[in-house]
Amino acid sequence: MSTRWKEDLVRLGQLGRPSRRAAYSREDLDASMGVFRMEGTAEMRESRQYIIERMREAGLDVRLDRIGNLFGRMEGEDPKAPVVMSGSHLDSVSNAGMFDGAAGVAAALEAVRTMRDERFTPRNPIEVCVFMGEEGSAIPEACVGSQVLAGVRRLDEALDLKTAQGSRLGDLLAASGHVGALMPGLDDVGWFVELHIEQGPVLCSEDTPVGIVESIAGITYLVITIEGEENHAGSTPMRLRRDALVAAARVISACDQKARAFAESGDGSAVATVDCCTVLPGAPSIIPGSVRIGIDIRDGSAGTIRALRRHIEAVLGELEKDYGFRTTTEIVMDYPPVELDQRVIRMIESAASAAGLRARRMASGAIHDAQSIARKVSTGMIFVPSVRGVSHSPFEWTEWNDLEKGIAVLTGTLKRLSRSDLEGEPAGTLRGGGDAH
Ligand code: HGY
Ligand code: MN
Ligand code: MN
């Protein structure tokens, strides 16, 4: 197999780093090697442009839709057959690793370049896709591009989403030059497969090269504001205080304890993270009057997510009733868990076994664009190992030989999905009608 996919990933890593330093091995990483590709930034524009150029070099027909999703299409024998789509995202969280999202884009591109080199002609068209805004780093909601594509979020509402600085997403995308006239839609798509790094410790600890995702956790993200009373830190007796930070600390520890209890009593997938905390006025000798925290709750069961949220709301109710705090809770994200398609799972298993690779079924604790797409189209995911399970960190790493194995399994899966005469389930049946995609 060619190593051009490795060059693509090294280059994308450079384009996302202020230092532009290249990382060819895990030893090249240090704390300053974080990647940050956010929608609306030069790094994002250059990275997407880099993939557009590689798609064109590969002879793909390149299109962009109105929310900034990018598609590179390889025609099949039957242009009306359901599209087989594969890809991921290029945007990243801040101070990120170089594989989250980018690995799935590079893998999908490499799969079609391999088919072209082998003169493999698919029956179904195959499309490499790059979803806009998976991480929600520019705007406070994740997977916006794939949700609009799947029709689970309105295009006009998405384009009006605002960044923390008040810029409108539609204006950011227009300024980047990476939006097109294509109406987002999946009516002509039959299958979707996303390769992604596991971002967890399972595959690495078991020395298993391939993960086959059966389900993706749901997520509820809350922004909670607690208003107490700003006052003098020296002259205000403890019994007269309404210290918003002490109240927030109670919410944070109650949330952590409950999540641990659910994790211990369940399958361990329940997690809750307080990932930001703003204290006002946050100045010496002043009792904090107001605190704002963000809470990320996830699990494979929507019921557990609801129970965790209810527990947090009960603690907030006590703070209001017993201690006179005022609180508000904003639900920023509330995405349900999804089960992926057993036919695609079997197809991935067949491709892994044909490649002589050990694979294991598993759940995803991270959310992905596949979650949105699976609401409309038969979807599967392939995981490749993350070294020490580390992700969303400059030290995120996947060994090249593991990625090579993942790409081989993705290529075999896309071949099976795009030719009904290969073993396994027949190629996709058209879902819906029309050609809005
Ligand atoms: O947060 C996540 O699970 C993903 O990386 N957006
Ligand atoms: Mn991520
Ligand atoms: Mn990701």
Side-chain angles (χ1 to χ4, degrees):
M1 177 189 277
S2 148
T3 59
R4 58 200 160 196
W5 53 272
K6 193 188 299 183
E7 287 308 317
D8 292 343
L9 278 169
V10 170
R11 186 71 189 126
L12 286 170
Q14 282 182 279
L15 291 174
R17 283 189 196 100
S19 67
R20 299 277 162 142
R21 279 170 56 198
Y24 284 93
S25 75
R26 201 170 142 223
E27 289 64 42
D28 292 334
L29 299 178
D30 61 38
S32 73
M33 290 288 272
V35 162
F36 191 23
R37 277 194 295 267
M38 181 169 78
E39 295 298 349
T41 61
E43 290 81 4
M44 189 65 228
R45 190 174 55 249
E46 284 180 273
S47 303
R48 198 181 266 117
Q49 188 57 35
Y50 176 84
I51 291 297
I52 288 172
E53 286 154 16
R54 300 292 79 70
M55 284 179 168
R56 288 200 174 118
E57 262 171 23
L60 303 183
D61 173 27
V62 175
R63 298 180 298 169
L64 284 146
D65 72 12
R66 290 185 52 191
I67 194 68
N69 296 312
L70 166 64
F71 305 92
R73 183 183 175 102
M74 173 196 238
E75 272 313 338
E77 287 161 353
D78 176 357
K80 287 284 175 220
V83 171
V84 175
M85 196 166 80
S86 181
S88 189
H89 60 96
L90 278 179
D91 67 315
S92 77
V93 294
S94 61
N95 206 28
M98 62 186 265
F99 293 92
D100 179 359
V105 173
L109 187 56
E110 184 56 26
V112 294
R113 289 187 297 208
T114 301
M115 288 183 214
R116 187 202 55 195
D117 296 349
E118 294 172 352
R119 304 209 187 304
F120 170 89
T121 311
R123 183 174 73 87
N124 302 52
I126 296 180
E127 291 198 359
V128 176
C129 61
V130 179
F131 299 110
M132 189 289 301
E134 190 272 351
E135 292 289 6
S137 33
I139 35 172
E141 301 184 39
C143 301
V144 170
S146 55
Q147 286 188 344
V148 171
L149 186 65
V152 297
R153 184 191 284 264
R154 289 165 50 98
L155 173 63
D156 53 347
E157 181 256 335
L159 291 170
D160 285 338
L161 286 172
K162 295 285 189 315
T163 67
Q165 293 71 34
S167 314
R168 185 175 161 276
L169 175 64
D171 301 337
L172 284 187
L173 294 174
S176 75
H178 286 152
V179 281
L182 193 64
M183 268 310 285
L186 291 172
D187 287 346
D188 61 349
V189 179
W191 307 88
F192 173 65
V193 185
E194 178 172 5
L195 179 142
H196 201 286
I197 56 173
E198 179 202 342
Q199 300 181 296
V202 173
L203 295 176
C204 195
S205 61
E206 292 178 359
D207 197 21
T208 301
V210 177
I212 304 176
V213 181
E214 292 190 287
S215 60
I216 304 176
I219 180 172
T220 293
Y221 191 84
L222 307 173
V223 172
I224 294 171
T225 305
I226 300 173
E227 304 287 348
E229 185 181 31
E230 209 173 295
N231 213 328
H232 194 294
S235 53
T236 311
M238 293 309 283
R239 59 187 168 79
L240 297 181
R241 294 176 176 222
R242 272 213 303 283
D243 183 331
L245 188 51
V246 172
R250 284 184 57 167
V251 175
I252 293 169
S253 55
C255 169
D256 184 67
Q257 282 158 16
K258 195 71 174 174
R260 288 173 190 279
F262 275 123
E264 274 144 35
S265 60
D267 63 2
S269 59
V271 288
T273 314
V274 177
D275 55 18
C276 61
C277 178
T278 309
V279 180
L280 293 177
S285 78
I286 306 175
I287 297 170
S290 168
V291 171
R292 188 168 181 269
I293 56 178
I295 305 186
D296 177 323
I297 306 169
R298 307 194 198 194
D299 191 46
S301 140
T304 302
I305 295 173
R306 265 196 309 278
L308 252 167
R309 189 179 128 198
R310 275 201 301 272
H311 182 70
I312 292 165
E313 286 165 349
V315 174
L316 291 169
E318 281 165 23
L319 288 170
E320 290 187 334
K321 190 168 60 57
D322 303 347
Y323 302 95
F325 289 94
R326 289 184 317 286
T327 74
T328 61
T329 301
E330 183 195 352
I331 302 170
V332 173
M333 279 192 287
D334 194 16
Y335 304 169
V338 289
E339 298 290 322
L340 298 185
D341 187 308
Q342 287 297 329
R343 290 174 301 168
V344 186
I345 289 169
R346 283 198 299 273
M347 206 65 92
I348 298 170
E349 279 175 333
S350 152
S353 98
L357 293 169
R358 217 159 15 89
R360 60 104 84 204
R361 294 182 177 214
M362 59 196 294
S364 172
I367 65 170
H368 299 285
D369 290 306
Q371 201 144 4
S372 318
I373 307 301
R375 311 269 286 272
K376 262 302 195 42
V377 160
S378 302
T379 295
M381 282 195 82
I382 297 167
F383 272 176
V384 290
S386 295
V387 173
R388 294 189 311 109
V390 168
S391 179
H392 282 192
S393 152
F395 295 98
E396 176 185 282
W397 189 262
T398 291
E399 298 301 353
W400 299 122
N401 66 337
D402 281 335
L403 203 43
E404 186 167 37
K405 291 170 187 166
I407 294 172
V409 173
L410 176 67
T411 306
T413 304
L414 297 180
K415 283 181 175 176
R416 283 163 174 72
L417 289 171
S418 66
R419 284 212 68 95
S420 55
D421 50 0
L422 289 177
E423 93 269 14
E425 311 275 340
T429 47
L430 192 59
R431 289 173 171 257
D435 56 357
H437 170 65

